[in-house]
């Protein structure tokens, strides 16, 4: 949700994606046009580079590294190095 849902809603709200960017196929599938796909991928890469403070470690980290960081914290908890798993909560 941190990357995907927020990115999709931002692109729609900023009118970077609109109904013209989607194609409906005969079988009912909905596909992005090539230009829209490029727009999404560029925005995704930019979003992953944005930084925020991870509350447990108290440092700025790129958003793209949050899943890896949370997996490391979960592994430390499962090994017994941490008393509890510190979840990342978006504020």
């Amino acid at each position: 949700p941190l990357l995907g849902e927020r990115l999709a809603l931002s692109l729609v709200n900023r009118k970077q994606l609109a109904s013209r960017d989607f194609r409906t196929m005969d079988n009912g599938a909905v596909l992005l046009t090539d230009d829209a796909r490029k727009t999404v991928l560029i925005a995704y890469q930019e979003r992953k580079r944005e930084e925020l403070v991870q509350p447990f470690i108290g440092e700025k980290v790129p958003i793209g590294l949050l899943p890896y960081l949370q997996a490391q914290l979960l592994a430390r908890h499962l090994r017994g190095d941490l008393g509890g798993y510190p979840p990342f909560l978006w504020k």
Side-chain angles (χ1 to χ4, degrees):
L2 181 64
L3 284 170
E5 290 177 6
R6 288 179 180 268
L7 178 69
L9 290 173
S10 294
L11 289 171
V12 171
N13 288 337
R14 287 188 251 148
K15 298 185 184 351
Q16 289 179 278
L17 284 182
S19 59
R20 68 181 180 283
D21 294 315
F22 297 90
R23 291 181 301 164
T24 304
M25 307 303 285
D26 293 335
N27 63 359
V30 179
L31 303 174
L32 281 172
T33 62
D34 290 339
D35 289 339
R37 191 175 303 113
K38 183 177 178 180
T39 300
V40 170
L41 289 174
I42 289 170
Y44 177 71
Q45 292 298 329
E46 290 172 358
R47 177 74 172 147
K48 287 191 333 180
R49 280 188 225 108
E50 292 178 16
E51 292 185 339
L52 51 77
V53 176
Q54 205 287 346
F56 182 74
I57 62 172
E59 294 180 17
K60 279 188 174 183
V61 296
I63 290 175
L65 286 180
L66 280 175
Y68 174 76
L69 180 59
Q70 289 306 122
Q72 292 293 325
L73 291 172
L74 178 60
R76 288 179 63 191
H77 168 65
L78 294 174
R79 283 193 309 262
D81 299 339
L82 288 176
Y85 170 69
F88 177 78
L89 301 173
W90 183 264
K91 292 181 181 183

